[in-house]
Amino acid sequence: MLNAMTLTGLILAAAAPSGAHGGEYGDAHGAEAAFPPFDPTYFATQIFWLLLTFGILYLLLAKVFLPRIGGTIEERSSRIADDLDAASRMQREAEEAEKSYERALADAKAKAHNVSESTRQAVDAEIKTEVDAADAEAAKAAEAAEQRIGAIRDKAMANIESVAADAAQAAVEALTGKRPTLATVKKALN
Amino acid sequence: MIAAGLDPIAQFEIHKLAELKIGKYDISFTNSALMMVVSVALISLWLLLSSKKSLIPGRAQSLVEVSYEFVADMLRSAAGKEGMKFFPFVFALFLYILFANLLGMIPFFFTTTSHIVVTMVLALMVFFLVIIYGVYKNGFGFLKLFWPDVPMAVKPFVCLLEIISFFSRPLSHSIRLWANIMAGHIMIKVFAGFCIMLVGAFGLVGGSLAGILPFLMTFALTPLEFLVSFVQAYVFALLTCIYLSDALHPGHH
């Protein structure tokens, strides 16, 4: 479609000079004028102003604006790179700190374990000696009690003999009217 | 007066605003020159206000930086790292054409790029820059541009083609931009003019009803022309990059 329109333009332009032959170098106004883009009256001024304005734009861009924009972009990208470097360095440092912290924690745990173990052993030993001492005392007391019991039993046995002799004397006296001597009775009892 | 207003060619007419002469050359300040000055002033104002050098860019600064990177990437990918010495030139071309096209989209504004002289001068600047820099940098090696690596049997023929294509570059380069812009402006004017003519012929009510179609056409063409404004500036700058690449590396292309 654009090409078709271009063709129309070209045809118009080609047709124009026949109608405006006189006006081409004179005043190019009104419907009789040449197709404006092909009117050479204004070629010089357009070229002049184009070169002037384009030249100014080029100088402004080359000397002022592009260095500024490029500088800003460069500065930003280098700043980002720096920041990334710093971040990775900090991360490394943090990792190292974590490692050393873990090492310290492990050391402290081991130490604490040792301390508790040795304390437990010491306490165990103390308990054992105390228990032993208590056992020994208890054994002594039990022995003493046994000896006393033995003595009491012997005494009681001895008493039983005399009581039995007495009772036998009394029984014989009651039956016979005659009181036997203690030695006889004892002889008879044994 | 209505007839003059409807003429789709009238928008391309140049009027003198102030007489000016150097020798026998008429360099009067015209509406075309005014638009050139306005577009350069607008570009400068835009770049001045939005390059505050802040580390975290605002919206305007981002736009400037995006344009910068856009053209820089285009040039770097077409002409390599050595091509960056032409960056101010390519960026100036891109902005100059883009602003001229966009300003021309404002009703009653003159479009400088709708004149073949303007686009031809821009294209010839590129053409001669390529030749002058190519010869300066490569000497006779620049002629390798016309002597490509193809079988000997077809070499003379390809060489002829290369020469023709090289010398027709300024023509295709300039006419592409000019024809697109001019044709688009004529089309919008023609369809918009239909609406007015229909109102004139059928009265306000009938004409408005009949004018709906050309109105919708105008409505649809306007954003298309904004797109063409950008695309043509881009294409002109891209072709400039590709041509400059020939000046830098004539041996391989």
Side-chain angles (χ1 to χ4, degrees):
Chain A
M1 182 139 64
L2 290 183
N3 283 337
M5 295 310 293
T6 315
L7 263 179
T8 320
L10 287 171
I11 291 163
L12 273 170
S18 64
H21 199 70
E24 207 166 356
Y25 292 102
D27 206 352
H29 278 294
E32 300 278 301
F35 181 54
F38 292 131
D39 181 0
T41 319
Y42 296 109
F43 279 3
T45 155
Q46 277 181 298
I47 293 170
F48 172 79
W49 286 101
L50 169 64
L51 292 179
L52 185 70
T53 50
F54 187 80
I56 291 171
L57 178 66
Y58 176 81
L59 284 181
L60 277 177
L61 284 179
K63 301 287 173 222
V64 185
F65 292 124
L66 292 185
R68 252 167 87 175
I69 301 169
T72 311
I73 292 175
E74 201 126 298
E75 196 183 311
R76 178 179 314 123
S77 60
S78 72
R79 173 76 178 270
I80 289 172
D82 283 358
D83 283 359
L84 284 178
D85 277 358
S88 69
R89 202 180 57 239
M90 279 174 189
Q91 196 184 6
R92 248 192 338 268
E93 280 172 10
E95 271 166 12
E96 255 159 46
E98 196 192 345
K99 237 179 261 168
S100 71
Y101 161 75
E102 268 169 9
R103 214 165 34 235
L105 190 65
D107 282 357
K109 263 186 190 163
K111 216 185 227 170
H113 189 69
N114 280 350
V115 169
S116 75
E117 190 67 11
S118 60
T119 309
R120 203 162 56 84
Q121 278 171 359
V123 169
D124 278 357
E126 204 174 314
I127 289 170
K128 197 161 177 284
T129 51
E130 263 171 38
V131 167
D132 284 354
D135 278 354
E137 212 161 291
K140 227 180 342 192
E143 211 174 319
E146 234 163 74
Q147 275 172 358
R148 233 176 38 236
I149 290 166
I152 290 167
R153 202 181 52 206
D154 286 355
K155 209 169 152 195
M157 289 300 274
N159 282 353
I160 284 170
E161 221 169 278
S162 69
V163 169
D166 272 356
Q169 261 179 322
V172 169
E173 194 178 12
L175 288 171
T176 63
K178 196 184 149 199
R179 190 178 171 96
T181 61
L182 199 60
T184 323
V185 174
K186 271 193 182 164
K187 205 176 165 187
L189 282 172
N190 286 332
Chain B
M1 189 185 153
I2 284 178
L6 288 177
D7 181 7
I9 305 299
Q11 57 179 322
F12 304 122
E13 274 169 15
I14 290 179
H15 312 287
K16 284 183 193 177
L17 299 177
E19 290 275 356
L20 212 63
K21 259 185 200 274
I22 292 182
K24 67 187 178 79
Y25 293 107
D26 181 9
I27 52 152
S28 301
F29 192 75
T30 60
N31 52 345
S32 167
L34 175 66
M35 290 316 295
M36 292 176 185
V37 171
V38 166
S39 78
V40 168
L42 275 180
I43 294 169
S44 308
L45 199 66
W46 173 50
L47 293 179
L48 192 68
L49 290 183
S50 50
S51 55
K52 273 181 303 184
K53 293 191 121 186
S54 72
L55 209 56
I56 297 156
R59 252 175 239 189
Q61 198 185 335
S62 290
L63 194 62
V64 170
E65 286 175 10
V66 165
S67 322
Y68 181 100
E69 299 278 10
F70 176 69
V71 179
D73 284 347
M74 184 162 71
L75 183 57
R76 208 177 292 124
S77 60
K81 226 173 177 148
E82 320 87 292
M84 290 311 283
K85 62 165 75 77
F86 297 115
F87 180 56
F89 178 68
V90 176
F91 198 56
L93 268 181
F94 176 70
L95 285 187
Y96 195 89
I97 296 170
L98 181 67
F99 270 68
N101 293 350
L102 289 178
L103 273 177
M105 286 307 294
I106 301 173
F108 304 114
F109 276 44
F110 181 82
T111 318
T112 47
T113 42
S114 70
H115 274 244
I116 183 82
V117 192
V118 174
T119 60
M120 185 55 95
V121 168
L122 293 174
L124 285 175
M125 279 201 284
V126 176
F127 183 69
F128 285 116
L129 179 66
V130 167
I131 292 178
I132 292 168
Y133 188 78
V135 170
Y136 161 75
K137 183 157 182 272
N138 307 288
F140 280 109
F142 184 60
L143 293 176
K144 266 190 282 183
L145 187 60
F146 308 112
W147 202 244
D149 274 331
V150 289
M152 204 56 211
V154 292
K155 220 163 187 172
F157 180 63
V158 175
C159 175
L160 188 68
L161 280 186
E162 290 285 350
I163 290 171
I164 292 172
S165 92
F166 184 82
F167 284 97
S168 61
R169 273 175 185 181
L171 214 60
S172 63
H173 203 184
S174 60
I175 289 181
R176 182 180 297 108
L177 170 62
W178 165 69
N180 271 290
I181 298 304
M182 189 197 63
H185 278 257
I186 291 178
M187 271 203 292
I188 290 188
K189 186 84 179 194
V190 164
F191 282 110
F194 274 156
C195 302
I196 311 292
M197 277 195 276
L198 286 168
V199 171
F202 300 113
L204 199 57
V205 179
S208 301
L209 282 175
I212 284 177
L213 270 179
F215 175 76
L216 286 179
M217 199 65 194
T218 315
F219 189 71
L221 279 175
T222 305
L224 177 72
E225 285 310 310
F226 274 106
L227 184 68
V228 167
S229 297
F230 172 78
V231 167
Q232 286 307 317
Y234 168 67
V235 166
F236 198 96
L238 183 65
L239 285 172
T240 303
C241 294
I242 292 167
Y243 297 162
L244 285 172
S245 158
D246 281 348
L248 291 159
H249 334 277
H252 39 86
H253 61 104

